[in-house]
Amino acid sequence: MASNDPADFNARLDAIISSLSALRQGQDQLASQVDGINGRVNTLAGVKQVKDGIAQDASTSSPRVAPRGWHSRESVSSTDGIGRDINGEAQLASPPPRKASTTSKIILTSYPGQAGIDPLPMEWGASDPEKRGPVVVSRGGTSIRRRNAIGAHGGSYSIYYALAVASDQVLTDHRADFTNTEPAANIGPFKAWSDPKKIVAMDPYGHLAPWLFKDIIKNEDIDIRPTIAVTRAHMKIPELEDSVRKGRLVPDGKICISESGELNVTKFAVEPVWHLPGVAERFGISEATLRRSLFENTGGSYPELITRNDIKLFMPPIGGLTVYCFGDPAKMSDPNVKLALRVHDECNGSDVFGSDICTCRPYLIFGIEEAVKEAQRGGSGVVIYFRKEGRALGEVTKYLVYNARKRGSDKASEYFKRTENIAGVKDMRFQALMPDILHWLGITKIDRMLSMSDMKHDAIVDQGIPIRERVPIPDEMIPEDSRVEIDAKIHAGYFTTGKVMTLQELEAVQGRAWEDVDVRPENLARGIDTAC
């Protein structure tokens, strides 16, 4: 018979509650352990699926691009390889399904120390390439655990690669055949290659990666690709024929090879590889601040920027640069010969399509002319072309600025204000990383700098490369409608051998209006096209 003693009852109740509490605590601990095991198992399973190339589940398979001539109607299969549609008409049978290049599971962001994660060692700045190690960013099956870089090959083109994979136009386990792709000219090595403060935005061994690290590629099946390529070509630009005709260029059969102004050139294409600690130091900020800003302001596209502090390399989704070398590439690094250099930032509207609202294409042509002439005199001529469209603000922002200028008072005194009103800043090219390519090329001094930019000048000099002469664009090559731009820049600090206008004088420098377009807001609102 149960005791009616309240004290005894309370004691037994307390014992039951204590047992239940201990049971719940044990269950929580067990659940936590199971979750941890599941996380590790799922990671390993995901890695294995990528490695083995397991096909996607039918329910999650990606859409495929139908072959040309393929009919979309339902068909009934037959043994002769010809199907019959629902009306009994003959139809080609469906081709055998192609093995999907992606898996049904997504491998989520990994963390340092996670099971199976073993990045290849990376000692940025080491003089021995083997000690330094290769840059590995591929998420392929045998490489994903060994990655030591965040991002993707191809910069902004990586999105097109993603589309190709999603539509089964390319298999993720494809390995490039690098036969006969070696650099067409020798470059380096130079002392700056092993200085972690001199090169922070590109891989100095990027042009040799498949050959320097061929044993790792072969023995460990790691996907290692070049980030630099070197080739030779001819260049033919319409203005150069005029340069020959007017005597500014003289054909020599070697560099300027014809009366049409055709040129011999060695070209270096470079994709960015950022060493995050070095980039942060170059900008005077902490690595943590840089990582957070890159993560947040790319829409959270690269979570490993904040979860993998052990990985110090980032391949950003931006355009790279191209070096155009006239004459012997070995002379670029020879301190005993003169070097003429133009550092040019992309301007699609002018460089390609000949817009006259800026001096970009004329200055590019002038830079090429001067580089060729320096090479013909026995020196070296170099033009470096950076993909930084519209001061790195992009063409959309640039064209919005054009609209604001042409619909307002397009005065030199208000030139930068229009850009700042829209973008919040007048220039985002941030030339601090630009000198890296000069260090990589072995350039230790510049005899003739074919640029008026104070930002480019200061960035180069700050990196210990002296500039002996600065050369502005000749007045006769400045388009009339670009006086607004060039006079505003000179007033803001660009180099000139001529006069620097006062603010009052800038008020009188005004651009051409849109003579052939009625740009009244009321017409735009009604969608009226009043172009002549």
Side-chain angles (χ1 to χ4, degrees), residues 73-113:
R73 294 175 293 182
E74 296 181 24
S75 64
V76 181
S77 61
S78 64
T79 58
D80 60 3
I82 299 178
R84 303 287 172 179
D85 65 19
I86 56 177
N87 295 318
E89 297 176 355
Q91 184 184 31
L92 289 175
S94 173
R98 181 180 178 183
K99 183 179 179 181
S101 60
T102 55
T103 69
S104 61
K105 291 188 177 181
I106 298 173
I107 298 177
L108 298 177
T109 302
S110 56
Y111 294 81

Side-chain angles (χ1 to χ4, degrees), residues 8 46 76 90 96 99 117 135 158-159 193 244 264 285 290 391 497:
D8 183 53
V76 181
K99 183 179 179 181
I117 303 301
V135 175
S158 61
I159 300 299
W193 289 17
V244 172
N264 263 327
I285 59 177
L290 175 63
R391 300 186 209 155
T497 55

Side-chain angles (χ1 to χ4, degrees), residues 76-211:
V76 181
S77 61
S78 64
T79 58
D80 60 3
I82 299 178
R84 303 287 172 179
D85 65 19
I86 56 177
N87 295 318
E89 297 176 355
Q91 184 184 31
L92 289 175
S94 173
R98 181 180 178 183
K99 183 179 179 181
S101 60
T102 55
T103 69
S104 61
K105 291 188 177 181
I106 298 173
I107 298 177
L108 298 177
T109 302
S110 56
Y111 294 81
Q114 194 168 5
I117 303 301
D118 183 25
L120 283 170
M122 167 56 60
E123 187 177 328
W124 193 262
S127 58
D128 181 355
E130 291 188 5
K131 185 178 181 182
R132 203 295 301 266
V135 175
V136 180
V137 74
S138 171
R139 293 178 63 89
T142 54
S143 302
I144 188 167
R145 296 171 298 168
R146 312 304 308 279
R147 291 178 308 133
N148 56 19
I150 302 164
H153 283 287
S156 57
Y157 295 102
S158 61
I159 300 299
Y160 291 101
Y161 177 79
L163 289 174
V165 171
S167 58
D168 285 346
Q169 304 300 305
V170 66
L171 297 175
T172 56
D173 59 357
H174 170 74
R175 286 288 188 271
D177 180 356
F178 294 114
T179 303
N180 291 331
T181 64
E182 295 87 352
N186 294 326
I187 190 76
F190 299 110
K191 186 177 180 180
W193 289 17
S194 57
D195 188 336
K197 294 183 181 295
K198 292 286 181 68
I199 297 181
V200 301
M202 58 181 289
D203 178 9
Y205 300 105
H207 59 312
L208 302 174
W211 302 279

Side-chain angles (χ1 to χ4, degrees), residues 210-249:
W211 302 279
L212 283 175
F213 306 110
K214 62 182 180 180
D215 290 341
I216 297 177
I217 296 174
K218 179 181 178 181
N219 299 331
E220 302 186 44
D221 194 22
I222 303 298
D223 186 5
I224 299 173
R225 308 180 201 174
T227 56
I228 302 173
V230 185
T231 190
R232 290 174 180 161
H234 284 189
M235 175 187 291
K236 199 169 184 178
I237 300 176
E239 288 92 332
L240 297 181
E241 185 172 0
D242 185 60
S243 301
V244 172
R245 187 166 56 250
K246 293 181 178 178
R248 293 198 303 268
L249 282 185

Side-chain angles (χ1 to χ4, degrees), residues 250-269:
V250 178
D252 60 357
K254 295 180 179 180
I255 301 172
C256 182
I257 59 179
S258 71
E259 295 291 332
S260 66
E262 188 173 359
L263 305 175
N264 263 327
V265 63
T266 303
K267 303 195 294 186
F268 303 74

